């Protein structure tokens, strides 16, 4: 499934949070509604698609977001390099999910 896009660079999001005196171990990327609206078409297509048994959809929404927002930094893990490319920390969340499904 699509990765949430930040809209602005991770650097600007973290810098803004720090300048506003907010914690930087959980930095909001975008509202969950923005992610859902922006990706509704693709998510619907993936959900309705019949895949072979060896294909499993991984939903990053469950990993990068909560009920209200998608994070740029979550639990002190920087999830992005820029606006939409995941960092090693973000990728490791996806890898962990894949490995859990392989069991």
């Amino acid at each position: 499934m699509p990765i949430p896009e930040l809209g602005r660079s991770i650097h600007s999001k973290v810098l803004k949070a720090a300048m506003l005196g907010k914690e930087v171990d959980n930095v909001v990327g975008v509202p969950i509604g923005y992610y859902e609206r922006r990706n509704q078409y693709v998510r619907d297509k993936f959900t309705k698609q019949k895949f072979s048994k060896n294909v499993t959809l991984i939903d990053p929404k469950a990993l990068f977001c909560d009920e209200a927002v998608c994070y740029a930094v979550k639990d002190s893990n920087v999830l992005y390099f820029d606006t939409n490319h995941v960092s090693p920390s973000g990728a490791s969340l996806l890898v962990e999910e894949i490995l859990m499904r392989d069991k």
Side-chain angles (χ1 to χ4, degrees):
M1 296 288 213
I3 300 287
E5 298 168 302
L6 298 181
R8 290 195 339 221
S9 77
I10 181 73
H11 302 64
S12 66
K13 297 249 181 212
V14 171
L15 181 60
K16 182 177 179 181
M19 289 176 61
L20 293 173
K22 296 181 180 178
E23 63 178 66
V24 293
D25 51 340
N26 287 298
V27 177
V28 172
V30 294
I32 191 78
Y34 171 84
Y35 168 73
E36 290 171 340
R37 284 187 306 276
R38 181 161 173 78
N39 294 285
Q40 181 177 356
Y41 177 80
V42 173
R43 291 179 61 84
D44 287 348
K45 288 290 185 184
F46 280 156
T47 302
K48 294 174 185 173
Q49 180 68 39
K50 300 262 190 229
F51 293 103
S52 64
K53 292 180 183 179
N54 65 340
V55 174
T56 302
L57 289 179
I58 302 297
D59 190 355
K61 177 177 154 183
L63 304 170
F64 287 56
C65 310
D66 62 21
E67 63 281 345
V69 299
C70 296
Y71 292 93
V73 179
K74 185 176 182 191
D75 300 327
S76 299
N77 293 309
V78 177
L79 301 177
Y80 296 85
F81 275 122
D82 50 24
T83 61
N84 62 340
H85 294 98
V86 295
S87 67
S89 296
S92 70
L93 292 176
L94 297 167
V95 169
E96 288 174 25
E97 184 70 17
I98 291 167
L99 293 175
M100 285 179 47
R101 294 190 182 217
D102 274 350
K103 292 182 180 180

